[in-house]
């Protein structure tokens, strides 16, 4: 069994993955591998993969996504697929909110023709709460109706002009409340009032069984999201696309406050839309920080940008205007946003779409969540809008997966070539992960129709730079400058990819499923790679030695313990409830005797990084349907605006998508998750720290059943 990387790896494990066993003892990585494999193979009990799957997982050759590592156990066949999916798309505010609550990253298309809800027609909204609710004081100023006595009191004001809805104490309950609000708004039912009663929602700090006992945020964050919509969106004269962006933003804020995870979102808008120039600036103008923003472009856009002739599509803008606005905002705002998304290069596979069925509005919903009949008309109208669109697919927030804009999922998992002993070992890891991901698609989910149609998976890579050096004695520079080396290494990636594709087709036929529409990808792997101290996905390492700053509540007793043990401490002026603890980190990659051949993010030229992406797309992605998540870093002190524009104009249409970010000056922001330090500073800090056991759990993941035993069956894959 491979041990977790001591320091930040153990810390990440204890915070997000490892469950408590007896007393205060955490699971081992072997325990995690045990229960995750058990949950997965129970989806197809006759698969025969358990033995090898455990071996490859426990030895770090397979690195499951955090969703699987956190939730995977013997209950998996009875749970909904959403909590095991990495990413999703949504076409409504309700679906976006619901999926965020389940932990999915969510992409949404905000094209004008998709914005069928005008929030100026929302019903009058009132919030009710029983006077005995423990969070009544925290809700001060947010509640319109505080009542006492039995719930029958509500009948006194219940008539044809008032809809009283009691919010159930669950994620589905919160989602249902927004569904009612959004559907009434779609129907322009603003002659009535909607009262949402949150009295049944458990109080702040109560345990959530479905999240291994993590504390509930209580009703207040969700109440605040509803009141923000009523106060700041309805009747404020915004265009529908911006209204819906605001609604999604407010509810995403409430999810983040809930503490389950960050709200990972991407907002995409087509370059031809009338409001595109406002969209390009809206993140800076309105601080919509909960989503990444990208402008959807196509080959026609790039033809016009590269042409000397300017074609104005309406009285407002041309392709040149959009290109200039995006590059100016991305460079001068310092945010690197918005980006470009090449819609024409995505896998626009419409095979199996039954539009007549989609028009019925039943394309969303599961055994766990049933939409109201009144919502189906709304969903049917959205299907008609999508049918008319030229481009019907966008990406997830990290941009490595192609997904249907009406709604879809993908499940992703990494293989780690660096931890494998041979090319055949890498191939077997890819085959095992392929089969495991396809099994997840058998689970009940919100988008059953689309999951059945596409059977999407994404077999990803991480720790690539370690593998390049260990197996080929080559680095990033060799790949982008030496055609012979790049072809040799690329052919090994291609060899593994083709086995993945063939296994996916064969296993899907065995299970009676459609052939997957997507096969390979590269995801960020920012959290899970830290478990074994690996470079993340295909990203260049950010720095050799650094402090990893982790946020804690100011009153967390762990802060005092860390301070006493010699860890660096910071207090944020902008957030007086937050304290930062710094964990000295040095990744093993920096100790592999590579010398000055290591290339760090920000040191590589933009052109070389585009070449790196093209190489990976050619050999690892091929025609397999997905793309690569990559953040291309540049130093704005070296790369001027004119060079920035020129480089994007030359390269941007040669890859599906990429995030282009400035190498940020850490002194410009109060909080940076990573701060570079020298080797001397690292050694000094390590010398004064009494314990490197980085127990950074801000709410440990507890499991009353402990580790789950598994009866392994022998399974061999042919060499």
């Amino acid at each position: 069994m491979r041990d977790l990387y001591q320091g930040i790896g153990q810390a990440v494990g204890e915070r997000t993955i490892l469950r408590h066993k007896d007393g205060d003892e955490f699971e081992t990585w072997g325990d995690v591998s045990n229960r995750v494999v058990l949950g997965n193979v129970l989806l197809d009990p006759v698969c025969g993969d358990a033995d090898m799957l455990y071996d490859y997982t426990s030895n770090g050759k397979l690195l499951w996504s955090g969703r699987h590592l956190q939730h995977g156990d013997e209950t998996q066949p009875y749970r909904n697929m959403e909590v095991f999916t990495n990413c999703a798309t949504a076409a409504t505010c309700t679906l976006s909110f619901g999926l965020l609550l389940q932990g999915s990253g969510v992409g949404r298309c905000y094209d004008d023709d998709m914005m069928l809800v005008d929030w100026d027609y929302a019903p009058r909204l009132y919030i009710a709460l029983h006077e005995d609710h423990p969070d009544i004081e925290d809700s001060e100023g947010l509640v319109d109706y505080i009542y006492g006595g039995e719930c029958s009191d509500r009948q006194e004001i219940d008539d044809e002009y008032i809809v009283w809805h009691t919010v159930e104490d669950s994620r589905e309950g919160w989602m249902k409340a927004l569904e009612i609000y959004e559907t009434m708004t779609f129907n322009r039912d603003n002659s009535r009032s909607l009262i949402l009663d949150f009295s049944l929602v458990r109080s702040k700090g109560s345990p959530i069984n479905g999240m291994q006992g993590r504390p509930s945020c209580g009703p207040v964050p969700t109440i605040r999201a509803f009141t923000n919509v009523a106060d700041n969106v309805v009747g404020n004269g915004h265009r529908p696309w911006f209204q819906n962006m605001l609604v999604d933003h407010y509810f995403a804020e409430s999810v983040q406050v809930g503490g389950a995870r960050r709200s990972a979102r991407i907002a995409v808008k087509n370059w031809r839309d009338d409001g595109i120039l406002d969209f390009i600036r809206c993140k800076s103008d309105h601080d919509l920080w909960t989503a990444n923003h990208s402008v959807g472009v196509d080959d026609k856009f790039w033809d016009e940008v590269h042409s000397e002739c300017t074609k104005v599509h309406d009285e407002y803008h041309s392709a040149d205007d959009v290109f200039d606005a995006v590059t100016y905002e991305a460079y001068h705002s310092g945010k690197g946003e918005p980006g470009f998304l090449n819609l024409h290069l995505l896998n626009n596979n419409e095979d199996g779409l039954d539009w007549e069925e989609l028009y019925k509005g039943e394309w969303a919903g599961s055994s766990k969540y049933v939409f109201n009949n009144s919502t189906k008309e709304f969903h049917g109208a959205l299907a008609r809008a999508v049918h008319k669109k030229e481009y019907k697919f966008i990406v997830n927030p990290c941009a490595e997966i192609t997904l249907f804009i009406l709604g879809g999922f993908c499940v992703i998992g990494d293989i780690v070539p660096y931890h494998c002993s041979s090319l055949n070992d890498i191939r077997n890891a890819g085959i095992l992960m392929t089969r495991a991901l396809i099994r997840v698609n058998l689970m009940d989910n919100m988008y059953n129709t689309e999951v059945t149609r596409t059977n999407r998976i994404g077999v990803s890579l991480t720790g690539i730079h370690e593998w390049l050096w260990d197996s080929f004695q080559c680095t990033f520079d060799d790949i982008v400058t030496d055609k012979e080396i790049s072809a040799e290494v690329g052919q090994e990636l291609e060899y593994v990819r083709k086995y993945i594709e063939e296994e996916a087709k064969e296993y899907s036929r065995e299970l009676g499923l459609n052939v997957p529409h997507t096969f390979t990808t590269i995801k960020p792997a920012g959290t899970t790679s830290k478990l074994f101290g690996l470079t993340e996905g295909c990203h260049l390492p950010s720095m050799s030695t650094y402090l990893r700053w982790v946020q804690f509540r100011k009153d967390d007793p762990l802060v005092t313990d860390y301070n006493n043990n010699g860890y660096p401490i910071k207090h944020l002026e902008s957030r007086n409830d937050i304290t930062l603890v710094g964990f000295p980190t040095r990744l093993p990659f920096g100790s592999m005797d590579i010398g000055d051949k290591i290339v760090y993010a920000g040191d590589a030229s933009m052109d070389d990084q585009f070449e790196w992406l093209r190489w990976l797309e050619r050999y690892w992605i091929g025609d397999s349907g997905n793309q690569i998540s990559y953040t291309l870093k540049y130093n704005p002190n070296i790369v001027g605006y004119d060079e920035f524009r020129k480089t994007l104009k030359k390269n941007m249409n040669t890859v599906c998508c990429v995030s282009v970010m400035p190498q940020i000056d850490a002194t410009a922001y109060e909080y940076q998750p990573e701060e570079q330090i020298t080797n001397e500073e690292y050694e000094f800090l390590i010398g004064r720290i009494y314990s490197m056991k980085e127990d950074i759990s801000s709410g440990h993941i507890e499991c009353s059943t402990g580790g789950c035993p598994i009866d392994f069956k022998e399974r061999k894959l042919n060499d």
Side-chain angles (χ1 to χ4, degrees):
M1 184 185 75
R2 186 176 295 274
D3 292 328
L4 297 181
Y5 179 55
Q6 288 304 301
I8 195 66
Q10 185 70 26
V12 168
E14 293 180 5
R15 179 166 187 167
T16 62
I17 293 165
L18 304 181
R19 300 178 180 180
H20 273 158
K21 297 171 69 176
D22 297 330
D24 292 330
E25 183 183 355
F26 280 109
E27 294 176 305
T28 65
W29 180 247
D31 295 327
V32 175
S33 303
N34 222 350
R35 61 173 171 79
V36 171
V37 169
L38 172 61
N40 183 268
V41 298
L42 285 175
L43 298 170
D44 176 22
V46 298
C47 68
D49 290 352
D51 192 13
M52 285 195 71
L53 195 57
Y54 172 80
D55 178 59
Y56 274 65
T57 300
S58 62
N59 284 290
K61 299 176 183 181
L62 298 181
L63 188 49
W64 302 69
S65 295
R67 318 300 312 287
H68 302 268
L69 297 175
Q70 179 183 343
H71 296 287
D73 57 31
E74 79 278 10
T75 67
Q76 184 169 349
Y78 313 106
R79 301 194 68 181
N80 52 310
M81 180 177 161
E82 286 86 339
V83 296
F84 289 87
T85 58
N86 294 68
C87 51
T89 43
T92 72
C93 296
T94 300
L95 281 162
S96 178
F97 179 47
L99 292 170
L100 288 174
L101 287 170
Q102 299 283 2
S104 283
V106 181
R108 186 172 180 186
C109 172
Y110 292 92
D111 291 357
D112 291 340
D113 54 9
M114 292 289 292
M115 299 295 100
L116 304 187
V117 176
D118 185 338
W119 286 91
D120 285 345
Y121 293 93
R124 291 183 297 276
L125 179 69
Y126 300 95
I127 303 298
L129 197 64
H130 195 279
E131 62 183 6
D132 292 336
H133 195 284
D135 293 353
I136 192 71
E137 292 185 8
D138 292 342
S139 67
E140 184 177 357
L142 300 174
V143 176
D144 304 287
Y145 179 53
I146 299 175
Y147 67 94
E150 298 296 327
C151 292
S152 59
D153 289 354
R154 74 190 60 168
Q155 302 302 324
E156 298 176 7
I157 59 171
D158 194 8
D159 59 35
E160 61 179 316
Y161 296 105
I162 296 174
V163 175
W164 184 300
H165 176 72
T166 301
V167 180
E168 294 183 5
D169 184 29
S170 65
R171 288 174 290 195
E172 291 77 20
W174 299 352
M175 184 179 173
K176 181 62 69 175
L178 182 54
E179 179 196 342
I180 293 170
Y181 193 27
E182 185 175 28
T183 300
M184 290 179 71
T185 305
F186 166 76
N187 290 322
R188 303 196 170 193
D189 200 0
N190 57 338
S191 63
R192 294 201 290 174
S193 297
L194 173 63
I195 300 176
L196 296 177
D197 182 359
F198 284 83
S199 299
L200 297 184
V201 177
R202 76 193 72 183
S203 61
K204 179 176 65 177
S206 302
I208 305 173
N209 292 333
M211 292 294 290
Q212 292 86 35
R214 286 185 173 186
S216 167
C217 64
V220 172
T222 308
I223 290 173
R224 183 174 289 109
F226 277 101
T227 58
N228 275 333
V229 173
D231 295 343
N232 303 322
V233 178
V234 179
N236 281 347
H238 301 307
R239 284 176 287 188
W241 67 265
F242 187 63
Q243 291 178 343
N244 283 274
M245 287 186 69
L246 283 174
V247 174
D248 287 340
H249 171 71
Y250 289 134
F251 280 94
E253 277 188 318
S254 75
V255 174
Q256 188 189 56
V257 169
R261 64 165 290 166
R262 63 189 178 90
S263 296
R265 299 172 51 237
I266 187 170
V268 180
K269 190 167 180 61
N270 193 284
W271 72 278
R272 294 181 183 274
D273 280 3
D274 290 349
I276 192 62
L277 298 181
D278 291 331
F279 173 83
I280 290 167
R281 294 188 297 267
C282 74
K283 190 160 190 176
S284 289
D285 292 347
H286 301 280
D287 193 28
L288 299 179
W289 54 269
T290 59
N292 303 323
H293 291 189
S294 284
V295 175
V297 297
D298 55 17
D299 51 349
K300 305 174 191 68
F301 172 85
W302 292 112
D303 287 346
E304 292 180 27
V305 168
H306 292 133
S307 171
E308 295 182 0
C309 299
T310 299
K311 180 179 179 181
V312 179
H313 292 275
D314 54 37
E315 61 180 302
Y316 299 107
H317 71 273
S318 65
D320 285 336
D321 292 333
V322 172
F323 180 79
D324 290 344
V326 169
T327 52
Y328 184 90
E329 181 69 17
Y331 187 89
H332 291 288
S333 70
K335 297 182 174 69
E337 291 186 63
F340 291 107
L341 175 62
N342 285 316
L343 299 172
H344 63 297
L345 295 180
L346 303 181
N347 178 0
N348 291 276
N349 187 343
E350 298 184 34
D351 291 350
L353 283 174
D354 187 338
W355 291 105
E356 291 301 320
E357 283 297 313
L358 294 175
Y359 290 170
K360 296 177 182 178
E362 298 176 349
W363 45 263
S366 65
S367 60
K368 193 169 185 178
Y369 189 92
V370 179
F371 282 92
N372 297 338
N373 287 330
S374 58
T375 303
K376 294 178 182 178
E377 180 182 351
F378 174 29
H379 287 179
L382 281 168
R384 289 180 172 84
V386 173
H387 195 182
K388 297 175 183 177
K389 294 186 70 63
E390 180 179 8
Y391 301 109
K392 300 177 177 64
F393 297 82
I394 56 171
V395 295
N396 66 309
C398 297
E400 74 271 22
I401 301 296
T402 300
L403 293 168
F404 190 35
I405 60 175
L406 199 57
F409 290 127
C410 189
V411 288
I412 314 174
D414 284 303
I415 62 176
V416 187
Y418 174 56
H419 289 167
C420 295
S421 60
S422 66
L423 179 59
N424 285 343
D425 209 20
I426 301 171
R427 181 200 64 191
N428 288 349
I431 289 172
L432 284 164
M433 182 56 77
T434 298
R435 294 169 63 87
L437 296 177
I438 288 174
R439 284 192 287 272
V440 177
N441 283 336
L442 297 170
M443 299 175 69
D444 184 43
N445 65 84
M446 189 67 69
Y447 296 137
N448 277 301
T449 300
E450 178 66 5
V451 170
T452 299
R453 181 183 80 89
T454 62
N455 194 19
R456 293 185 188 278
I457 62 170
V459 180
S460 179
L461 300 169
T462 195
I464 296 175
H465 297 285
E466 292 91 334
W467 173 63
L468 289 177
W469 182 255
D470 185 61
S471 296
F472 303 96
Q473 292 291 289
C474 77
T475 65
F476 168 89
D477 270 346
D478 297 314
I479 294 296
V480 300
T481 60
D482 191 314
K483 292 183 179 179
E484 185 175 336
I485 291 177
S486 67
E488 177 190 357
V489 180
Q491 286 163 11
E492 291 210 0
L493 289 176
E494 188 175 50
Y495 169 85
V496 175
R497 171 172 60 82
K498 288 181 177 179
Y499 267 92
I500 286 170
E501 293 173 7
E502 287 305 310
E503 183 65 26
K505 295 172 185 177
E506 179 61 32
Y507 190 46
S508 295
R509 284 191 287 265
E510 182 182 323
L511 294 176
L513 305 176
N514 290 331
V515 171
H517 284 208
T518 57
F519 301 98
T520 53
T521 187
I522 300 181
K523 68 183 181 70
T527 299
T528 52
S529 293
K530 291 182 177 66
L531 294 172
F532 295 114
L534 299 165
T535 55
E536 299 166 6
C538 62
H539 287 96
L540 289 165
S542 59
M543 53 197 74
S544 58
T545 52
Y546 57 93
L547 282 176
R548 178 73 179 175
W549 290 103
V550 178
Q551 297 186 36
F552 291 82
R553 286 181 56 91
K554 187 177 182 179
D555 56 358
D556 193 321
L558 285 172
V559 172
T560 301
D561 292 342
Y562 285 127
N563 190 32
N564 292 339
N565 282 328
Y567 286 85
I569 302 292
K570 278 186 182 180
H571 301 285
L572 292 179
E573 293 182 6
S574 58
R575 291 284 306 276
N576 59 16
D577 59 331
I578 294 295
T579 296
L580 305 178
V581 178
F583 297 97
T585 303
R586 181 160 59 196
L587 295 182
F589 182 59
S591 305
M592 289 183 69
D593 196 28
I594 304 175
D596 58 6
K597 293 191 71 175
I598 292 182
V599 179
Y600 293 105
D603 294 336
S605 71
M606 293 179 68
D607 281 325
D608 281 352
Q609 292 180 79
F610 273 111
E611 180 60 28
W612 170 249
L613 290 177
R614 287 189 289 265
W615 176 74
L616 288 166
E617 284 191 359
R618 175 183 176 184
Y619 290 108
W620 183 248
I621 304 299
D623 298 323
S624 68
N626 282 320
Q627 53 277 336
I628 293 168
S629 176
Y630 182 79
T631 301
L632 189 156
K633 295 288 186 71
Y634 69 93
N635 188 337
N637 295 322
I638 298 174
V639 178
Y641 176 57
D642 289 342
E643 182 181 349
F644 176 81
R645 288 183 75 258
K646 181 180 178 180
T647 304
L648 290 190
K649 189 172 183 179
K650 170 186 172 185
N651 292 289
M652 197 68 222
N653 65 331
T654 67
V655 298
C656 292
C657 49
V658 61
S659 175
V660 183
M661 293 286 291
Q663 190 82 352
I664 298 173
D665 177 8
T667 63
Y669 298 90
E670 186 179 17
Y671 170 65
Q672 287 294 316
E674 296 175 356
E675 178 185 340
Q676 187 165 9
I677 58 177
T678 65
N679 284 324
E680 290 75 17
E681 290 171 320
Y682 174 84
E683 296 296 342
F684 171 76
L685 289 170
I686 291 299
R688 81 174 193 183
I689 289 173
Y690 296 107
S691 171
M692 281 298 292
K693 185 178 184 299
E694 300 175 10
D695 182 6
I696 63 172
S697 175
S698 62
H700 292 310
I701 304 169
E702 297 179 351
C703 176
S704 58
T705 61
C708 305
I710 182 168
D711 180 17
F712 292 119
K713 296 180 180 179
E714 186 174 353
R715 166 80 163 101
K716 293 184 178 179
L717 300 174
N718 294 327
D719 286 340

